[in-house]
Amino acid sequence: MPENHARKPEPRHDGVSQTPAVPTSSAPGDGTEAAAPPNRRNRAGSKGAVKPAGNPLLGWLKEIATVVVIAVVLSFLIKTFLFRAFFIPSESMVNTLDVDDRIFVNLLVPEPFALSRGDVVVFRDTKGWLPPAPAKTEGPFTWVQDGLTFVGLLPDNSEQHLVKRVIGLPGDHVVCCDAGGKLTINGTAIDEAYINPAEVPQVRNFDVTVPEGKVWVMGDNRNHSADSRAHMETDGGFIDLKDLEGKAAVIAWPLNRIKTLDNYPDVFKNVPAAH
């Protein structure tokens, strides 16, 4: 008859129990850890590894290159649509502008912003006022200078531009001079506070009415300025509005001459509109 109790295994002669060992799991908080499979340990180790740092010099060069590219693009956009730099090579505008001054020209004048009497303007020499420019001497770094001028980082010193002050707008009747030796515009004499005080201007008589689409310009250093008065045989001495680069707004260099340029509204405030 079978026994109701499980048979107890007999001990082996070497003293080792024949009962199979049961693996024990560590209880939470007992301070022991179960061993993870080898492949799992490798993955955990790879996640915790610190990535090697990149070359700091390369990163620095990339940042510098980015800044330079942004600066060049902004300079080109500003030069194309807002401001452009020019170099003053002559004394025709002393004392307002000295030789070797660098100026910024507002390209938004005469369009979309209107031109005013007294504005100092830069214009292209399409009338042949200047002698032909000499052939440029090519050097090893000429292309660098041309490129920096093109993007607006260097002033234009091509010498095929002129700078003068607007005296007569389209329709104005400009005469020199009245009995007191003053310039008159539309019958009103003006006190030209911007003229170089170092010399008394020589009287050069003229009587002109400015046509539509043109302006009459004169230099502040009257005795040393080949302006509209000196070129009356060429289109009456007038400058086409379409040839204007813009209004000179600021002297940017040298540092001791940095200032905004005045158009002397008080000089022209009593001048009536052209008929």
Side-chain angles (χ1 to χ4, degrees):
M1 182 174 177
E3 295 181 354
N4 293 331
H5 300 285
R7 182 179 174 183
K8 187 174 181 180
E10 297 179 1
R12 292 174 50 178
H13 296 288
D14 56 5
V16 179
S17 173
Q18 292 181 343
T19 304
V22 179
T24 59
S25 60
S26 55
D30 64 355
T32 61
E33 293 183 355
N39 61 340
R40 186 172 299 177
R41 286 201 305 270
N42 292 341
R43 286 199 298 268
S46 64
K47 288 183 180 180
V50 179
K51 293 183 178 180
N55 189 331
L57 178 59
L58 182 60
W60 181 79
L61 291 176
K62 287 182 178 179
E63 290 184 8
I64 294 297
T66 301
V67 171
V68 169
V69 169
I70 292 174
V72 169
V73 171
L74 287 178
S75 178
F76 177 75
L77 293 175
I78 291 172
K79 171 247 182 182
T80 304
F81 300 107
L82 297 177
F83 289 93
R84 188 176 176 187
F86 284 91
F87 164 79
I88 305 300
S90 75
E91 59 179 347
S92 69
M93 287 295 291
V94 172
N95 281 337
T96 302
L97 298 173
D98 283 345
V99 176
D100 294 337
D101 279 352
R102 270 67 168 174
I103 60 175
F104 281 130
V105 172
N106 181 358
L107 304 181
L108 300 179
V109 177
E111 291 181 354
F113 299 109
L115 193 67
S116 300
R117 299 184 191 96
D119 285 345
V120 175
V121 294
V122 171
F123 55 95
R124 295 180 294 278
D125 180 30
T126 63
K127 310 292 185 182
W129 288 18
L130 296 171
K136 187 191 300 184
T137 303
E138 298 292 335
F141 298 103
T142 300
W143 64 273
V144 176
Q145 181 177 351
D146 291 343
L148 293 177
T149 300
F150 176 75
V151 300
L153 294 176
L154 283 181
D156 189 328
N157 59 358
S158 65
E159 299 184 1
Q160 295 308 301
H161 291 81
L162 297 103
V163 57
K164 306 293 180 189
R165 191 179 297 274
V166 174
I167 302 299
L169 294 174
D172 282 346
H173 182 208
V174 187
V175 178
C176 180
C177 291
D178 67 2
K182 293 182 178 180
L183 197 71
T184 68
I185 305 174
N186 300 332
T188 300
I190 60 174
D191 292 314
E192 298 182 277
Y194 40 76
I195 289 180
N196 181 13
E199 299 181 17
V200 177
Q202 298 174 0
V203 175
R204 301 175 65 174
N205 294 319
F206 60 87
D207 186 333
V208 299
T209 298
V210 184
E212 279 299 316
K214 300 179 184 294
V215 290
W216 179 269
V217 297
M218 300 174 71
D220 291 356
N221 197 13
R222 289 289 159 83
N223 295 340
H224 304 274
S225 177
D227 47 38
S228 288
R229 301 167 300 162
H231 298 281
M232 295 182 67
E233 74 283 355
T234 305
D235 198 15
F238 304 110
I239 296 300
D240 295 333
L241 284 172
K242 65 181 181 181
D243 288 336
L244 299 186
E245 292 282 4
K247 171 186 173 181
V250 176
I251 299 175
W253 187 266
L255 294 177
N256 63 342
R257 285 184 49 75
I258 291 179
K259 65 178 179 180
T260 57
L261 294 174
D262 194 356
N263 64 355
Y264 293 87
D266 289 343
V267 172
F268 302 94
K269 66 180 181 181
N270 294 324
V271 174
H275 299 299

